[in-house]
Amino acid sequence: MIDHAHDLDAVREATDRLLSATEKLDDAALARPSRLPGWSRGHVVAHLSRNADALVNVLQGHPMYADSETRDRDIERDASRPKAEQLADLAGSAARLMDAASAPADWSRTVTLRNGVTDSASRIPFRRRVEVELHHVDLGIGYELEDLPEEFVGREIDFLTERFDRHPEVVPTTVAADDGRSWITGGGAEGGPAVVRGTAPELLGWLCGRRDGSALTVEGGPLPALPPL
């Protein structure tokens, strides 16, 4: 069950952590490469700002982005701005999203995201939390998957294993955390079944493409290949 109010509070906390961390950077540090191929830290921060505005569009019934080219162009345009401009934009866009997501509304309604993906409006705060938490890790400034809140890690593994369930490129796979939790995913491709074991952060890193899975153990064949998100 989605708890809209809880997720809004969690987004605020995640955003505060991100703002506090980026405040310690200078212009040179923002210009250095992030962990995302081809993106500087400035690109990551610019993306987070534009993503917040895009989710406001979604909540207001507008297209998330005008088109993919506009999205990419806006990120590129904003990536090299000085730190003061970047952080003011990050904070301001986050505040606009929080205002939009806090207004009285029918949170059970269906909204349309990028590439025609649909979801319940009530899931928008969690989707934003995913962006903030994982891209904070992508900055490579000391916040790691192991630092993510345990509850968030479990929910994001829930989401990703559901996303890959019956995927035609993923063999039947059991994802097993060291703490006893397990998830079933894949099943659309021939092979397996495979059992992938490890800590929850390592499993999340593999599922979301942030780690290569070398810290995991696999039974029933090689580590299953996952499609890009």
Side-chain angles (χ1 to χ4, degrees):
M1 183 105 181
I2 299 296
D3 187 335
H4 174 258
H6 165 81
D7 285 342
L8 280 177
D9 287 340
V11 170
R12 288 190 187 94
E13 293 172 3
T15 302
D16 287 346
R17 283 194 295 273
L18 177 66
L19 288 168
S20 295
T22 51
E23 179 62 41
K24 299 172 184 177
L25 304 178
D26 56 20
D27 288 351
L30 271 176
R32 293 191 184 105
S34 73
R35 291 174 174 172
L36 296 178
W39 271 17
S40 68
R41 290 169 177 158
H43 283 88
V44 175
V45 174
H47 164 63
L48 284 167
S49 296
R50 301 290 66 80
N51 171 261
D53 286 339
L55 291 176
V56 172
N57 289 339
V58 167
L59 292 175
Q60 294 177 345
H62 305 306
M64 187 170 183
Y65 297 100
D67 50 54
S68 295
E69 291 75 17
T70 300
R71 170 189 176 272
D72 296 344
R73 186 169 59 248
D74 288 350
I75 293 170
E76 194 65 39
R77 176 198 66 202
D78 296 341
S80 60
R81 293 175 299 175
K83 167 189 166 179
E85 290 183 32
Q86 286 271 42
L87 296 193
D89 190 14
L90 183 61
S93 59
R96 290 191 294 273
L97 175 57
M98 294 305 299
D99 287 344
S102 300
D106 174 14
W107 293 105
S108 66
R109 74 189 188 279
T110 298
V111 295
T112 302
L113 296 144
R114 192 180 175 204
N115 299 325
V117 173
T118 59
D119 204 349
S120 168
S122 63
R123 284 183 59 88
I124 293 299
F126 184 72
R127 283 182 174 272
R128 174 60 178 178
R129 186 182 178 192
V130 172
E131 294 286 328
V132 173
E133 293 283 24
L134 293 185
H135 284 318
H136 190 166
V137 173
D138 293 334
L139 288 172
I141 55 176
Y143 190 67
E144 303 295 342
L145 294 173
E146 286 75 14
D147 298 313
L148 294 169
E150 182 178 353
E151 171 260 351
F152 169 79
V153 172
R155 285 184 65 187
E156 182 62 355
I157 293 176
D158 288 344
F159 174 78
L160 292 172
T161 50
E162 181 179 344
R163 178 168 179 167
F164 294 134
D165 189 39
R166 302 188 182 280
H167 195 286
E169 299 176 22
V170 183
V171 301
T173 304
T174 297
V175 177
D178 291 346
D179 59 14
R181 290 177 293 173
S182 65
W183 300 260
I184 303 296
T185 193
E190 294 184 3
V195 180
V196 181
R197 302 183 186 276
T199 66
E202 287 288 354
L203 291 169
L204 174 58
W206 167 61
L207 288 165
C208 72
R210 265 67 180 184
R211 292 188 182 170
D212 63 9
S214 59
L216 304 173
T217 60
V218 188
E219 303 166 14
L223 184 69
L226 299 176
L229 294 175

